[in-house]
Amino acid sequence: MSISDAMAATSVSSVDLTRYVAVPDDITVAETVTLMSAAGRSCACVLSGDDLVGIFTQRDVVQRVIGRPGSFNRPISEEMTRPVRTMRNSDSVADGLALMNHWWVRSVPVSDEDDRLVGNLSFYTVMDTIANMLRSRISGSVGEATAHHGLTLVDFTGLNMSAPVIVNLDDPVEVAIHHMRARGIGSVLVVDERENLAGELTEFHLQTRIGCNDSDLSKRLVRDVMDPNPISLDARSAIADGISELLSHEVSHVPLTGESGRPVGVASFRDIAMYVETILETLG
């Protein structure tokens, strides 16, 4: 059975649906961001009583809230995304991944047959499910050698990597946010004066380290908010190593560096998943 078949046979009710916070629709945006950050979650499902009425994510924090103090004390109902795209708990993980790719989202709320919220399917959970299936498939497959070689001998230069968006250590945070908003991306890479990778600034860092606490981002420097020790990989690292690192650090993408230490690309979970699926589908 291929990973595609296994995913189609796996109900979302059997995987982790806890990666979210539930909030009432009458609290403020600032309160919602605080709850998300305290729980380490990137998604809030907004409820009116027991009814799901909206969703608010890290992307919304960056696109709609940070640096815009007028939004901090608004009801979350005014800033959330609606109508909400949902799936049933009887749907499969394959259905969830298809919805994420089609809508270009990283979270899909899950409801039961009575339209009550039962959880949230996150992109990380989908990728973790694929990784577990991959390990099972390789260990028992007659094509074990082929799959093993495809993951351990092929490096990231064999993927269609995204070009890195780069800022400098002493750029104002507002410059990084401008890039994220204009390009619809979740992170920028930070380089030093030698153009070597010096850090990474992501939506998660902006949500948890700035959130609704700062309105003048022209005075905050990237170096003060970024992660100075981001997970990164040499672009010549095996894809199997990348999968392991991404899952262990619970991130959705990883900066890739060249021999000089300069960033040359960004590999996402989407890139890796597409490659892995191609390998296993060729095994029949």
Side-chain angles (χ1 to χ4, degrees):
M1 179 184 291
S2 70
I3 280 186
S4 291
D5 292 336
M7 288 176 64
T10 302
S11 168
V12 295
S13 61
S14 66
V15 300
D16 179 20
L17 300 178
T18 65
R19 302 179 74 85
Y20 75 105
V21 295
V23 301
D25 64 348
D26 58 354
I27 68 172
T28 66
V29 169
E31 290 171 323
T32 302
V33 173
T34 297
L35 289 171
M36 290 168 62
S37 298
R41 296 304 187 215
S42 62
C43 170
C45 291
V46 185
L47 303 175
S48 176
D50 293 330
D51 297 328
L52 177 66
V53 294
I55 188 171
F56 188 76
T57 68
Q58 270 180 5
R59 183 61 51 90
D60 296 319
V61 174
V62 173
Q63 293 289 334
R64 304 178 183 181
V65 175
I66 287 182
R68 296 171 177 170
S71 67
F72 295 175
N73 293 317
R74 289 177 184 162
I76 190 62
S77 58
E78 294 183 8
E79 296 292 342
M80 67 187 185
T81 297
R82 59 181 172 184
V84 189
R85 298 179 173 111
T86 64
M87 60 186 302
R88 297 289 191 189
N89 58 354
S90 57
D91 291 335
S92 70
V93 174
D95 295 328
L97 182 58
L99 292 176
M100 290 178 181
N101 287 334
H102 180 70
W103 292 327
W104 206 249
V105 296
R106 290 176 289 185
S107 294
V108 181
V110 180
S111 61
D112 62 17
E113 61 276 4
D114 296 319
D115 290 327
R116 292 175 299 192
L117 179 70
V118 296
N120 175 66
L121 183 67
S122 71
F123 193 67
Y124 174 82
T125 296
V126 172
M127 293 299 102
D128 188 43
T129 302
I130 290 176
N132 289 332
M133 291 177 177
L134 172 63
R135 286 189 286 267
S136 175
R137 171 68 186 271
I138 290 178
S139 63
S141 171
V142 295
E144 178 177 350
T146 302
H148 183 268
H149 290 166
L151 293 170
T152 59
L153 300 183
V154 176
D155 61 36
F156 280 100
T157 61
L159 291 184
N160 183 23
M161 298 182 296
S162 303
V165 176
I166 294 173
V167 298
N168 298 309
L169 283 165
D170 292 323
D171 281 340
V173 170
E174 67 178 3
V175 171
I177 293 175
H178 170 76
H179 285 303
M180 291 184 182
R181 286 174 173 165
R183 301 176 186 232
I185 56 177
S187 73
V188 295
L189 304 186
V190 186
V191 297
D192 59 21
E193 64 278 1
R194 297 182 179 179
E195 299 185 349
N196 291 329
L197 182 66
E200 182 181 23
L201 182 62
T202 70
E203 290 173 327
F204 181 75
H205 301 137
L206 292 171
Q207 173 191 306
T208 57
R209 299 176 184 180
I210 293 182
C212 297
N213 299 316
D214 200 334
S215 58
D216 189 357
L217 301 179
S218 65
K219 297 180 180 179
R220 295 288 298 274
L221 299 182
V222 167
R223 67 164 69 241
D224 297 326
V225 183
M226 70 178 192
D227 178 1
N229 299 297
I231 170 181
S232 64
L233 290 171
D234 189 298
R236 297 165 298 177
S237 298
I239 292 174
D241 295 335
I243 293 173
S244 176
E245 287 295 300
L246 289 168
L247 287 173
S248 65
H249 290 82
E250 297 193 16
V251 294
S252 60
H253 58 275
V254 59
L256 301 172
T257 58
E259 294 183 18
S260 64
R262 296 176 179 177
V264 297
V266 177
S268 71
F269 257 137
R270 292 184 193 273
D271 300 328
I272 295 172
M274 290 176 63
Y275 175 76
V276 169
E277 185 66 14
T278 299
I279 290 178
L280 295 182
E281 287 299 325
T282 62
L283 298 179

